Amino acid sequence: MSKSIDVDFSYYNPINRQQREFHESPARHKLLIGGYGSGKTYPAIHESLFHCFQNSRHEFLVARNTWDSLEQNIEKEFYRVARDANAIKSFKEHNMVLQNDTVVQFRPLTLGREQFKGLNICGYFIDDPDINKYAHTISFLDSRLRNSPRASASRFQTIITANY
């Protein structure tokens, strides 16, 4: 008998047309561009969580350039949003297990492509990457969009936010 999952995203509403179009887009690769403080990360986190809940028992990657920027910015915010939605089953050492057993891994791009070789992910979200420095690693992540021994993805998704 499976346990009921009571995740609640009803509080979330996109605040403008661009955010609404971002969520409604059927594109496999989504890019959300705006200025500093324009509200890119919040909808991108929601889009990531929506995708994770469509792919139970899979893995999803959340990345930023460095450990410091990952921990201080995106990991804390992702945790807060997921907690508010009652989406977290457990969280330990940069790994969040969601209520549907999808594992969200938080990793910096500084690890380089060698450290991402073993991943089988249903998607990834990269917040404000330094494209000049990490283009090779970011393009490599597309090769990691694949089914895992644990689960088959209903679809694969990439999400990137960037400043002007």
Side-chain angles (χ1 to χ4, degrees):
M1 184 175 199
S2 65
K3 182 180 121 180
S4 170
I5 297 174
D6 188 24
V7 177
D8 181 18
F9 291 109
S10 63
Y11 66 89
Y12 175 69
N13 286 309
I15 61 170
N16 57 41
R17 180 182 53 80
Q18 291 83 2
Q19 288 181 2
R20 202 168 15 269
E21 289 172 355
F22 171 75
H23 290 301
E24 292 171 355
S25 171
R28 177 178 176 168
H29 306 288
K30 294 186 177 187
L31 176 63
L32 194 55
I33 300 173
Y36 287 99
S38 65
K40 301 174 299 293
T41 302
Y42 192 65
I45 289 171
H46 280 87
E47 186 69 18
S48 298
L49 286 167
F50 299 155
H51 182 73
C52 287
F53 275 94
Q54 294 171 1
N55 292 286
S56 297
R57 300 173 31 120
H58 220 296
E59 294 182 19
F60 188 87
L61 175 69
V62 176
R64 207 151 198 260
N65 295 322
T66 65
W67 275 117
D68 285 346
S69 68
L70 179 72
E71 290 173 329
Q72 292 170 9
N73 297 294
I74 196 68
E75 190 171 1
K76 283 182 181 177
E77 185 67 8
F78 201 104
Y79 177 85
R80 187 187 66 75
V81 170
R83 183 200 62 216
D84 289 352
N86 192 38
I88 303 171
K89 188 176 195 176
S90 66
F91 183 71
K92 185 178 178 184
E93 298 177 12
H94 310 293
N95 292 299
M96 178 184 294
V97 179
L98 300 176
Q99 293 289 356
N100 69 343
D101 293 322
T102 296
V103 177
V104 179
Q105 297 182 30
F106 298 89
R107 302 291 185 271
L109 295 173
T110 53
L111 290 177
R113 68 180 265 169
E114 291 299 314
Q115 296 300 311
F116 294 116
K117 277 191 173 180
L119 287 180
N120 296 309
I121 53 177
C122 65
Y124 61 80
F125 163 37
I126 303 175
D127 188 51
D128 196 23
D130 182 335
I131 299 296
N132 295 323
K133 206 175 214 180
Y134 302 112
H136 190 60
T137 301
I138 294 167
S139 65
F140 177 74
L141 288 175
D142 281 346
S143 73
R144 308 320 306 161
L145 295 170
R146 56 173 69 177
N147 288 315
S148 73
R150 291 180 45 184
S152 293
S154 61
R155 72 187 284 261
F156 297 98
Q157 181 73 64
T158 67
I159 301 161
I160 296 177
T161 61
N163 292 307
Y164 289 120

